[in-house]
Amino acid sequence: MLLQGALLLLLALPSHGEDNMQDPPLPKGACAGWMAGIPGHPGHNGTPGRDGRDGTPGEKDEKGDPGLVGPKGDTGETGITGIEGPRGFPGTPGRKGEPGESAYVYRSAFSVGLERQVTVPNVPIRFTKIFYNQQNHYDGTTGKFLCNIPGLYYFSYHITVYLKDVKVSLYKNDKALLFTHDQFQDKNVDQASGSVLLYLEKGDQVWLQVYEGENHNGVYADNVNDSTFTGFLLYHNIVE
């Protein structure tokens, strides 16, 4: 009751500016002597409103620092081989090479035969039947080959053996290097041969010679049997 009386007293007091302001109209249907009631409890929250419109984009900021390098990934599978590309342009010419050896061909060769049966032991056999001696490096008067071009030479001989045994040596500058021995068989023509590679300096001489006397001088030749001596240059000056 006391609270109600206090409220009535407050309402009866004049407010500031009472002379200029009129009393507010009473609510429609209100009775004279109306009094405000006690405030009610707050209402429930309403449902959320709809999303607002997107805002305008902000200004672009400066580029940040690069991040740390990540770990290396696994090796991927090999891809399919691509198609062959177009042919490239020719490259630049290489440098000029060193001068080569002379194109000049060195020649030295001979092939000779025995024209008669008579030979003298312990001296060079004179082969006077000339098959080839274009460079004249073989001397038919001495039976010796004279080296004019230093290099590697091939020499061979083929001897017909008849009436006696044969012992023949190939000489180089008065030194016997190759020996061939063939024993004569009664009433049979036999053959003996030999060959060798020799390096010769200019001025060296090579020849064939019967050794150990007349009993081993069965070197033979006639119109159907030949005894021959051949030699030729293989390589020019291969030894320094």
Side-chain angles (χ1 to χ4, degrees):
M1 294 297 287
L2 291 175
L3 179 61
Q4 187 177 12
L7 290 173
L8 292 174
L9 181 60
L10 289 173
L11 292 171
L13 291 175
S15 61
H16 294 287
E18 184 179 1
D19 296 335
N20 299 326
M21 296 181 61
Q22 296 180 357
D23 293 333
L26 294 174
K28 186 177 182 180
C31 296
W34 171 82
M35 292 179 63
I38 298 172
H41 296 288
H44 297 287
N45 292 333
T47 58
R50 291 180 297 177
D51 292 340
R53 296 180 181 179
D54 293 336
T56 57
E59 295 182 358
K60 185 175 181 181
D61 202 352
E62 296 181 357
K63 185 176 182 180
D65 296 330
L68 299 176
V69 179
K72 183 177 181 180
D74 297 332
T75 303
E77 297 181 358
T78 304
I80 301 174
T81 303
I83 59 174
E84 184 177 356
R87 185 174 181 179
F89 295 104
T92 56
R95 293 182 300 175
K96 185 176 180 180
E98 299 293 333
E101 296 183 359
S102 172
Y104 179 78
V105 178
Y106 294 89
R107 293 183 175 89
S108 179
F110 72 95
S111 183
V112 293
L114 194 65
E115 285 190 302
R116 55 179 181 161
Q117 180 183 349
V118 179
T119 57
V120 180
N122 303 317
V123 296
I125 300 174
R126 292 177 55 204
F127 293 89
T128 56
K129 186 177 181 179
I130 306 299
F131 299 112
Y132 179 86
N133 191 29
Q134 186 172 350
Q135 294 80 35
N136 293 316
H137 293 168
Y138 172 81
D139 187 353
T141 61
T142 62
K144 296 181 179 181
F145 168 78
L146 177 64
C147 175
N148 288 266
I149 303 171
L152 183 66
Y153 286 79
Y154 173 79
F155 293 97
S156 67
Y157 52 86
H158 176 87
I159 302 298
T160 298
V161 181
Y162 187 58
L163 300 178
K164 298 179 183 180
D165 294 350
V166 163
K167 288 186 176 182
V168 173
S169 291
L170 184 139
Y171 280 76
K172 173 187 172 183
N173 298 338
D174 295 321
K175 181 179 181 180
L177 301 180
L178 189 65
F179 298 88
T180 299
H181 177 209
D182 187 83
Q183 189 173 8
F184 171 67
Q185 302 296 326
D186 189 26
K187 297 182 181 179
N188 287 324
V189 175
D190 205 358
Q191 311 292 330
S193 61
S195 60
V196 68
L197 286 173
L198 295 177
Y199 179 79
L200 303 180
E201 297 286 357
K202 186 175 181 178
D204 287 343
Q205 292 180 318
V206 178
W207 68 88
L208 284 180
Q209 181 173 305
V210 174
Y211 67 96
E212 290 194 3
E214 187 65 34
N215 292 332
H216 297 92
N217 189 17
V219 180
Y220 182 80
D222 59 22
N223 59 338
V224 293
N225 293 283
D226 283 302
S227 292
T228 60
F229 182 33
T230 298
F232 53 86
L233 175 68
L234 287 177
Y235 303 107
H236 165 61
N237 197 26
I238 65 167
V239 177
E240 298 296 336

